[in-house]
Amino acid sequence: MIEALEPLVDGGRFAAKAVAGEPLSVRADVFAHGDDLVRAFVRHRRAGTRRWTVAPMAPIGNDRFEAAVVLPEPGHHQIEVLGEVDALAMWRRDATRRAAAGGFDPNDPVIGSRLLAEADELVDGRLGTLADELGRVDGTGPLAAVLAALDELDEVIASRPPATTATPASSELPVLAERPLAAFSSWYECFPRSASSVAGQHGTLADLANRLDYVAELGFDVLYLPPIHPIGTTARKGRGNSPVAGPDDVGSPWAIGSRAGGHTAVAPELGTLADFDELVDEAASCGIEIALDIAFQCSPDHPWVRKHPEWFAHRPDGTIACAENPPKRYEDIYPLDFTTSDREGLYAALLDVVLFWVRRGVRVFRVDNPHTKPFDLWEWLIASVRKVDPGVVFLSEAFTRPKVMHRLAKLGFDQSYTYFAWRDHKDEIVAYFEELAHGPGRTYFRPNVWPNTPDILAKSLQHGGRASFVARLVLAACLSANYGIYGPVFELLVDEPAAPGSEEYADSEKYEIRQLDVGDPRSIRDVVRRVNAARRAHPALQRDGSLRFHRVDNDRLVCWSKRDERTGDAVLCVVNLDPEWPQSGFVELDLGALGLDWDAAYEVRDELDDAAYTWTGPRNFVLLDPARSNAHVLALAPAARSPEPSATFPPSGRGR
Amino acid sequence: MIEALEPLVDGGRFAAKAVAGEPLSVRADVFAHGDDLVRAFVRHRRAGTRRWTVAPMAPIGNDRFEAAVVLPEPGHHQIEVLGEVDALAMWRRDATRRAAAGGFDPNDPVIGSRLLAEADELVDGRLGTLADELGRVDGTGPLAAVLAALDELDEVIASRPPATTATPASSELPVLAERPLAAFSSWYECFPRSASSVAGQHGTLADLANRLDYVAELGFDVLYLPPIHPIGTTARKGRGNSPVAGPDDVGSPWAIGSRAGGHTAVAPELGTLADFDELVDEAASCGIEIALDIAFQCSPDHPWVRKHPEWFAHRPDGTIACAENPPKRYEDIYPLDFTTSDREGLYAALLDVVLFWVRRGVRVFRVDNPHTKPFDLWEWLIASVRKVDPGVVFLSEAFTRPKVMHRLAKLGFDQSYTYFAWRDHKDEIVAYFEELAHGPGRTYFRPNVWPNTPDILAKSLQHGGRASFVARLVLAACLSANYGIYGPVFELLVDEPAAPGSEEYADSEKYEIRQLDVGDPRSIRDVVRRVNAARRAHPALQRDGSLRFHRVDNDRLVCWSKRDERTGDAVLCVVNLDPEWPQSGFVELDLGALGLDWDAAYEVRDELDDAAYTWTGPRNFVLLDPARSNAHVLALAPAARSPEPSATFPPSGRGR
């Protein structure tokens, strides 16, 4: 019987996610009836190939077995669990007990000799002549001697492959292995049109190329651009989302398409396809990937509106339906009609859009509102793209209901925006990230956490200034392996909303050019640089599964750690959620989660200011003053042990 | 999209369990992309029939829907969840918002009229002329009037069946509906051979018939007999499991088979098949069902050993392998060899055994050590028996590893023995019954809880006398809807083990006749009678799903409640685990779980001694003295409310 396979998503309907080249823990209950002993195996192969790689699974108690599987390359893989009854082990167990009790059953050597000969064939004769010797055994003493000799060969015996009669589990485990960027990425979003260094001038892709050094210096590895395509003029929105655009208004980049082209064109005011290619190349030389925005919607001026009117919903009066959230209407945007009679043609055109940019070297996409398009479009489109390049990464921008967000992650999106922007209080933060790291979605839903976006000037940033920005930055970047900021408004602490209570930015860059001085001395770019450097230096911060919150006796202080099992690297973070007042308290660390002994002394060094402290035991004092810094990102290292380690219970924590 | 179906066992590989005629909660996440509104339906039919019964599901939040399905008769059923996008509801929502904002979109009446006409067809014209009226609407006012008229018809609109285009979930929910006895039963086990009222005389089935009134008076509805078949003489065990039997030793009933017959014969010393038939009839007239023991193993004298030697494992030296747990050997028992080349013949013979007794009116079986036989035997055998009579109930006596016990429950056993006999401390009891009532096994694993069996004189009974027996009785009978005792040793407080530290009974009835006086004044039969009467009187005690433990500030006092949602019936139990000393404390009741308002006064009446108390609020004092009784089984009834209910927080509990 093989049950309770892990990681299994919806009974195998969807693939679990893994990182190519990294161990993936596969588990299953494997058992037989009665007191039968069993062996369990895991085997895997790339989808579409024939040869399995087989490995034994180790028992971890309560009839559960585990193996760490390494899928060598990106792409879809099949994993299967096998089980078989271990007749040889059962015979050894029973014969040993009988021999120990002093009895001799002449059937023992006969049965054992046969089982041993079978096993010997599977290990290419490495059991030597033991089967023959056993066949000649004639008493308890000699039998015990052979059994003891077998004990010496335990490893050889355990190493034998499963017999051809081994039972496979009824369901396979589909797993998508991905390149490391899918699991660990630092995103920087900005509008190319604001990138000119000449005041009042429309920025270009070339201007943006000049800002690559800045982005690289900050430590980001993904530079994400809102749509770079021609913007429609019909019903164009003016500044501040005004329904009427002035002659100089640049329009929303999400109103895609004009006479200059659609989803595969570059807006003339930004440059040319050649400029784009150059940007991609220059970014690559800085260690940065360019991410594009996939927004499957059209301005009324999009070439598709004339060429493929059947791809749009027509109302009884013959007009094309514009985007709408009644009573609000978005006249500058026509949604596509996925119920069109030419569904095949439309889907193919959308895939072609993505493949067009993939062929130009884009391997990261942020998908705009995927939840407003059919699920089957995404499942098919993402799978189709992965056939061309399994390394393409898709981020789902679905700020919607939990089940819908999870479905999108299951069907293929690598990363997903989250509710982080609306999780302000300690209990909300702890509960939400516990769910993300340890809930049922952990096998397929990879959070990508943003303190702000062009659509979201989070409430938590609107009051508190620098202290709030630093707190939200450290929370995002150190709670989640994937995170991003929308800059330069973020590092420049821009916090004015369009209206009281609104989450829209005043002077929103969605509708106008906004030139800001990234060299402004009030910028927190140095904190951003240090946080990203810590993320690169610490494997612990590059995955989400090890997240552990630690108790602090102060509800404004959040404390958590992450640890990389392979290297032992551990990072402990403390954030003060109060932007106004110093907060202090005692943290009570789960030392086991940090890989520390209960009585060990250890050094913690703050990656944000290089201050170092020596701590002992679980209870330690912390104080964070928003006037200086309201976050610790502490690298842990066991300190040299004192010559006479205490044999008593640990003393209460020494102050920092 | 339809996800997260409940109750679903291993992706639909096994059936969940339900009670015929009772509501079963079916749940699923049902959603579509974007802001599409959906309708969800559940439909069910008996396996093998064609016509579905369809019912709407109600939204319960977070895209989850629920319906209570009543499967009318015992047997296997299919349940399916369906979903569809509700275009009419979406149009109503959007048109209403547009109308409320004062705008008039001439497309609204056109689209709405079409959708309404479609809906009207599904409700046989009960929407009247509204579709036509809508078609003639020419402004916001008239449109708003029609929308308001539609609101009046909400129920009619909601009642329309799903369209033929509705999407079914990818997996069906197989459910086994069973007769109520599978979910609620009180078992009494005893050895017929001890039932004679004549001292020293071997009891018979006729003697047992004379004890039916006693068993009925105690309130049991299942009388379970250890094997009643002829007992082998070869290697027969003597008293106290001695390897040598004296000439008068009666042997173990589990060493089945002699020249007098095998699994379909009655031991001559117990009577005849006619006597058995009469016992079944007389029991029925007392409201008692006879349960037989299915022990698929043979004494060396079983007719099958000669007739079907191929059904037994032969060792290299030609001897038949006896049962063994090395170095122990059980020479009086030959296990069957389920790997026999005549597997088909053997399986058919075993099914015939069960059907033989089913044809004689037996509808309850306790299966001995099912975990030592192949899982596929049981799955096939139980399904085959259910084809003949879906009301047959199987109890699994598998005291083994959790995964094995659960697998047996999944593949068809209705009830399962548990680890209750080894759960003594409060934390063990709470954790174990929380798992049984609310863990993942709750949909298929029905506990049947025994304080003792012929194999288990639990440690908890060996010290403490009457107080311990009463505590364990009330725990078993009121924590679990299915329970049993092995009597009359239980009610007569027999507590002497075979040896210190042993869980075997001294003078075990498994190997000898043991005549006891059920009229002994020290008997706790009156407590047993009251406990069983309470179980019959209170629907709350007849199911397990509502179990709720309540806090008590004393680790020797366990407090729990059960509640029947349909009738509102609630029972609150408190047990003192200390057999020596009085224990007292404050219980802190979850009043919501009891269906009580936080400030209500209510009467609790003890079903064990008819004492009544008036309590108010969650905090109440309890004291249990083992010298009197160390259990409360309190029936709850809301007391007449005081004329001026307190508007402040509830006072702390009044003493009992």
Side-chain angles (χ1 to χ4, degrees):
Chain A
M1 307 300 118
I2 305 179
E3 294 186 343
L5 297 166
E6 261 186 304
L8 188 70
V9 182
D10 288 9
R13 162 76 178 80
F14 299 105
K17 295 196 174 84
V19 176
E22 274 186 24
L24 168 73
S25 165
V26 175
R27 296 175 180 216
D29 295 341
V30 183
F31 57 92
H33 70 268
D35 59 356
D36 281 10
L37 300 176
V38 298
R39 308 177 74 207
F41 302 88
V42 63
R43 62 184 188 183
H44 64 90
R45 64 184 175 191
R46 218 175 143 177
T49 64
R50 294 205 49 187
R51 259 190 80 211
W52 293 104
T53 303
V54 190
M57 298 178 81
I60 55 173
N62 196 12
D63 287 323
R64 198 145 184 80
F65 288 75
E66 181 178 35
V69 169
V70 176
L71 306 174
E73 58 204 48
H76 279 279
H77 291 73
Q78 299 168 286
I79 297 183
E80 219 173 60
V81 173
L82 304 169
E84 66 178 12
V85 169
D86 191 349
L88 177 59
M90 288 158 65
W91 172 83
R92 284 174 71 191
R93 174 192 65 191
D94 295 348
T96 304
R97 286 184 192 161
R98 280 187 285 259
F104 177 68
D105 182 334
N107 294 291
D108 271 340
V110 184
I111 297 171
S113 174
R114 178 175 55 73
L115 293 170
L116 213 54
E118 282 171 19
D120 195 41
E121 270 184 39
L122 294 169
V123 295
D124 301 326
R126 285 154 66 206
L127 297 177
T129 57
L130 275 178
D132 292 342
E133 282 174 44
L134 190 57
R136 291 189 297 270
V137 155
D138 58 0
T140 302
L143 178 59
V146 175
L147 288 167
L150 275 178
D151 289 347
E152 301 291 310
L153 289 164
D154 248 350
E155 258 179 64
V156 176
I157 293 171
S159 76
R160 69 196 197 278
T164 51
T165 51
T167 315
S170 58
S171 35
E172 270 183 9
L173 296 165
V175 174
L176 176 67
E178 297 184 275
R179 64 184 176 119
L181 187 90
F184 173 57
S185 58
S186 312
W187 294 50
Y188 187 80
E189 172 176 10
C190 69
F191 285 77
R193 67 189 182 192
S194 300
S196 172
S197 51
V198 181
Q201 187 165 304
H202 195 291
T204 64
L205 296 179
D207 293 327
L208 186 66
N210 291 330
R211 202 171 270 182
L212 284 168
D213 283 342
Y214 170 78
V215 177
E217 160 74 10
L218 257 50
F220 292 99
D221 50 17
V222 177
L223 175 57
Y224 150 51
L225 315 181
I228 57 170
H229 316 302
I231 298 172
T233 48
T234 302
R236 175 177 284 192
K237 300 286 185 189
R239 284 159 187 259
N241 200 18
S242 151
V244 185
D248 297 336
D249 278 338
V250 288
S252 160
W254 284 274
I256 294 170
S258 77
R259 250 167 272 163
H263 285 78
T264 54
V266 171
E269 60 272 29
L270 288 178
T272 64
L273 274 174
D275 294 336
F276 179 77
D277 293 344
E278 203 163 316
L279 175 69
V280 170
D281 286 348
E282 285 186 36
S285 70
C286 302
I288 292 174
E289 297 198 33
I290 298 295
L292 286 190
D293 194 312
I294 294 288
F296 283 153
Q297 58 192 22
C298 298
S299 100
D301 308 317
H302 195 290
W304 286 348
V305 176
R306 272 165 295 123
K307 206 168 160 199
H308 294 287
E310 71 279 10
W311 291 355
F312 301 88
H314 288 72
R315 303 192 302 170
D317 64 4
T319 58
I320 292 182
C322 68
E324 203 180 359
N325 184 13
K328 283 192 211 160
R329 289 165 59 91
Y330 306 93
E331 290 90 350
D332 59 337
I333 290 171
Y334 285 171
L336 292 157
D337 177 12
F338 298 96
T339 66
T340 169
S341 56
D342 183 31
R343 185 173 158 284
E344 210 173 314
L346 173 59
Y347 276 34
L350 298 177
L351 174 60
D352 280 347
V353 166
V354 180
L355 290 179
F356 175 88
W357 296 107
V358 168
R359 278 191 294 267
R360 299 200 96 86
V362 179
R363 302 182 80 207
V364 185
F365 294 93
R366 176 267 201 192
V367 179
D368 189 75
N369 284 327
H371 59 292
T372 61
K373 287 89 188 173
F375 295 107
D376 70 351
L377 167 67
W378 298 120
E379 189 166 15
W380 169 81
L381 185 144
I382 293 174
S384 302
V385 172
R386 289 227 171 90
K387 275 181 203 150
V388 175
D389 180 354
V392 176
V393 171
F394 292 90
L395 164 61
S396 159
E397 190 244 10
F399 289 112
T400 183
R401 286 126 54 216
K403 304 291 167 69
V404 174
M405 291 169 66
H406 276 251
R407 181 80 180 195
L408 290 165
K410 286 180 197 172
L411 58 78
F413 281 94
D414 303 280
Q415 303 183 353
S416 306
Y417 279 77
T418 69
Y419 303 137
F420 171 67
W422 305 280
R423 297 295 178 269
D424 300 338
H425 297 287
K426 178 174 174 173
D427 56 346
E428 295 170 340
I429 291 166
V430 170
Y432 189 48
F433 281 90
E434 282 283 359
E435 180 195 321
L436 289 171
H438 307 299
R442 70 187 183 283
T443 54
Y444 58 84
F445 185 100
R446 286 208 195 93
N448 189 330
V449 165
W450 293 65
N452 74 329
T453 77
D455 296 316
I456 310 167
L457 170 57
K459 288 278 182 340
S460 50
L461 297 177
Q462 296 184 21
H463 310 284
R466 178 193 163 94
S468 288
F469 277 77
V470 169
R472 298 297 292 179
L473 171 73
V474 172
L475 286 168
C478 299
L479 279 167
S480 177
N482 294 296
Y483 96 109
I485 59 170
Y486 154 49
V489 297
F490 186 85
E491 65 267 29
L492 295 175
L493 312 180
V494 172
D495 61 2
E496 193 194 341
S502 168
E503 285 182 345
E504 288 284 341
Y505 276 92
D507 309 320
S508 171
E509 220 172 342
K510 290 191 287 186
Y511 312 104
E512 65 189 82
I513 291 170
R514 191 161 187 188
Q515 292 176 321
L516 295 169
D517 174 15
V518 297
D520 190 311
R522 285 163 302 181
S523 169
I524 58 166
R525 64 180 181 279
D526 192 54
V527 183
V528 175
R529 190 182 55 72
R530 279 187 171 257
V531 166
N532 281 335
R535 284 167 49 87
R536 289 192 186 214
H538 291 287
L541 296 175
Q542 298 172 11
R543 296 294 180 271
D544 291 328
S546 68
L547 178 67
R548 173 81 172 82
F549 287 96
H550 302 267
R551 205 183 306 181
V552 198
D553 55 2
N554 180 329
D555 276 352
R556 311 303 296 273
L557 296 177
V558 189
C559 174
W560 72 94
S561 67
K562 286 183 157 189
R563 181 163 184 267
D564 178 63
E565 246 188 68
R566 286 186 294 172
T567 58
D569 176 53
V571 174
L572 182 74
C573 301
V574 190
V575 163
N576 175 12
L577 299 175
D578 184 343
E580 292 183 75
W581 300 101
Q583 296 286 346
S584 65
F586 281 91
V587 297
E588 209 171 298
L589 303 177
D590 174 350
L591 295 177
L594 298 168
L596 295 169
D597 286 337
W598 66 271
D599 62 346
Y602 48 99
E603 190 184 80
V604 300
R605 190 177 43 74
D606 195 332
E607 296 283 9
L608 301 184
D609 64 5
D610 295 329
Y613 317 96
T614 300
W615 281 4
T616 309
R619 223 173 126 72
N620 292 282
F621 181 76
V622 288
L623 182 149
L624 285 165
D625 181 351
R628 294 169 49 215
S629 167
N630 57 353
H632 282 313
V633 177
L634 303 168
L636 260 74
R641 281 184 73 114
S642 60
E644 294 187 77
S646 148
T648 63
F649 285 101
S652 52
R654 304 191 210 145
R656 36 167 250 160
Chain B
M1 307 301 117
I2 305 178
E3 295 186 342
L5 299 166
E6 262 186 303
L8 188 70
V9 183
D10 289 8
R13 163 74 177 82
F14 300 105
K17 296 195 173 85
V19 176
E22 273 186 24
L24 169 73
S25 165
V26 175
R27 296 177 180 214
D29 295 341
V30 184
F31 57 92
H33 70 268
D35 59 357
D36 281 9
L37 300 176
V38 298
R39 308 177 74 208
F41 301 88
V42 63
R43 62 183 188 185
H44 64 89
R45 64 183 175 192
R46 216 175 143 175
T49 65
R50 293 207 49 188
R51 258 191 80 212
W52 292 103
T53 302
V54 190
M57 299 178 81
I60 55 173
N62 196 12
D63 288 322
R64 197 145 185 80
F65 288 75
E66 180 177 35
V69 169
V70 177
L71 306 175
E73 57 203 46
H76 279 279
H77 291 73
Q78 299 167 286
I79 297 183
E80 218 173 61
V81 173
L82 303 169
E84 65 178 13
V85 169
D86 191 349
L88 177 59
M90 288 158 65
W91 171 83
R92 284 175 70 193
R93 174 191 64 190
D94 295 348
T96 304
R97 287 185 191 161
R98 279 186 288 257
F104 176 68
D105 182 334
N107 294 291
D108 270 340
V110 184
I111 297 171
S113 176
R114 177 175 55 73
L115 293 170
L116 213 53
E118 282 172 17
D120 196 40
E121 271 185 39
L122 293 169
V123 295
D124 301 325
R126 285 154 66 206
L127 296 177
T129 57
L130 274 178
D132 293 342
E133 281 174 47
L134 191 57
R136 291 189 298 270
V137 155
D138 58 0
T140 303
L143 177 60
V146 175
L147 287 167
L150 275 178
D151 288 348
E152 299 291 309
L153 289 163
D154 248 351
E155 258 178 65
V156 175
I157 292 171
S159 75
R160 70 195 197 280
T164 50
T165 51
T167 315
S170 58
S171 34
E172 271 184 10
L173 296 165
V175 174
L176 176 67
E178 298 184 274
R179 63 182 177 121
L181 188 90
F184 173 56
S185 57
S186 312
W187 294 49
Y188 188 81
E189 172 177 8
C190 69
F191 285 78
R193 67 189 182 192
S194 299
S196 172
S197 53
V198 181
Q201 188 165 304
H202 195 291
T204 65
L205 297 178
D207 293 326
L208 186 65
N210 291 330
R211 201 171 272 184
L212 283 168
D213 282 342
Y214 170 78
V215 176
E217 161 73 10
L218 257 50
F220 293 99
D221 50 19
V222 177
L223 175 57
Y224 149 51
L225 315 181
I228 57 170
H229 315 302
I231 297 172
T233 47
T234 302
R236 174 178 284 193
K237 300 287 185 188
R239 284 160 186 256
N241 201 17
S242 149
V244 185
D248 297 336
D249 278 338
V250 288
S252 159
W254 284 273
I256 295 171
S258 76
R259 249 167 273 164
H263 285 77
T264 54
V266 171
E269 60 271 29
L270 287 177
T272 64
L273 274 174
D275 294 336
F276 180 77
D277 293 344
E278 204 163 316
L279 175 68
V280 169
D281 286 348
E282 285 187 36
S285 70
C286 302
I288 292 174
E289 298 198 32
I290 298 295
L292 286 190
D293 195 313
I294 294 289
F296 283 154
Q297 58 193 21
C298 299
S299 99
D301 308 318
H302 195 291
W304 286 349
V305 176
R306 271 165 297 121
K307 207 167 160 201
H308 294 288
E310 71 279 10
W311 291 355
F312 300 87
H314 288 71
R315 303 192 301 169
D317 65 3
T319 58
I320 293 182
C322 69
E324 202 180 0
N325 184 11
K328 282 193 212 162
R329 290 164 60 90
Y330 306 92
E331 289 90 351
D332 59 337
I333 289 170
Y334 285 170
L336 291 157
D337 177 13
F338 297 96
T339 65
T340 170
S341 55
D342 183 31
R343 184 174 158 284
E344 211 173 312
L346 173 59
Y347 275 34
L350 299 177
L351 173 60
D352 279 348
V353 166
V354 180
L355 290 179
F356 176 89
W357 296 108
V358 168
R359 278 191 295 267
R360 299 200 96 87
V362 179
R363 301 183 79 207
V364 184
F365 294 94
R366 176 268 200 191
V367 179
D368 189 75
N369 284 329
H371 59 293
T372 61
K373 287 90 187 173
F375 295 108
D376 70 352
L377 166 68
W378 298 119
E379 190 167 15
W380 169 81
L381 184 144
I382 293 173
S384 303
V385 172
R386 289 227 172 90
K387 276 181 202 150
V388 174
D389 179 353
V392 176
V393 171
F394 292 91
L395 165 61
S396 159
E397 189 244 10
F399 289 112
T400 181
R401 286 127 53 216
K403 304 292 168 67
V404 174
M405 291 168 67
H406 276 252
R407 180 80 181 196
L408 290 164
K410 287 180 197 172
L411 59 77
F413 281 93
D414 303 280
Q415 302 182 353
S416 306
Y417 279 77
T418 69
Y419 303 137
F420 171 68
W422 305 279
R423 297 294 177 270
D424 300 339
H425 296 287
K426 177 174 175 173
D427 57 346
E428 294 170 341
I429 291 166
V430 171
Y432 189 49
F433 282 90
E434 282 284 359
E435 180 196 321
L436 289 171
H438 307 300
R442 70 188 183 281
T443 55
Y444 58 83
F445 186 99
R446 287 208 195 94
N448 190 329
V449 165
W450 293 65
N452 73 329
T453 77
D455 296 315
I456 309 167
L457 171 57
K459 289 277 182 340
S460 49
L461 297 176
Q462 295 185 22
H463 311 283
R466 178 192 163 96
S468 287
F469 277 77
V470 169
R472 299 297 292 179
L473 171 74
V474 172
L475 286 168
C478 299
L479 279 167
S480 177
N482 294 297
Y483 96 109
I485 59 169
Y486 154 50
V489 296
F490 185 85
E491 65 267 28
L492 295 175
L493 312 180
V494 172
D495 62 1
E496 193 194 340
S502 168
E503 285 182 347
E504 289 284 341
Y505 275 92
D507 309 320
S508 171
E509 221 172 341
K510 290 190 288 185
Y511 312 104
E512 66 188 85
I513 292 170
R514 191 161 187 188
Q515 292 176 320
L516 295 168
D517 174 14
V518 297
D520 190 312
R522 284 163 303 179
S523 170
I524 58 165
R525 65 180 181 280
D526 193 53
V527 183
V528 175
R529 190 182 54 72
R530 279 187 170 255
V531 166
N532 281 334
R535 285 167 49 87
R536 288 191 187 216
H538 291 287
L541 296 175
Q542 297 171 11
R543 297 294 179 271
D544 291 328
S546 68
L547 178 66
R548 173 82 171 82
F549 287 95
H550 303 268
R551 206 182 306 182
V552 198
D553 55 1
N554 179 329
D555 276 351
R556 311 304 296 272
L557 295 177
V558 189
C559 174
W560 72 95
S561 68
K562 286 183 158 191
R563 180 163 185 268
D564 178 63
E565 245 187 68
R566 287 186 294 173
T567 58
D569 176 54
V571 175
L572 181 75
C573 301
V574 190
V575 163
N576 175 12
L577 299 176
D578 184 343
E580 293 183 74
W581 301 99
Q583 296 286 348
S584 65
F586 280 92
V587 296
E588 209 171 299
L589 301 177
D590 173 351
L591 295 176
L594 297 168
L596 294 170
D597 286 337
W598 65 270
D599 62 346
Y602 48 98
E603 191 185 80
V604 299
R605 190 177 44 75
D606 195 332
E607 296 283 9
L608 301 184
D609 63 5
D610 295 329
Y613 318 94
T614 299
W615 281 3
T616 309
R619 224 172 125 72
N620 291 283
F621 180 77
V622 289
L623 182 150
L624 286 164
D625 181 351
R628 294 169 49 216
S629 167
N630 55 355
H632 283 312
V633 177
L634 302 169
L636 261 73
R641 280 186 73 115
S642 61
E644 295 187 79
S646 147
T648 62
F649 285 101
S652 52
R654 304 192 209 145
R656 35 168 252 163

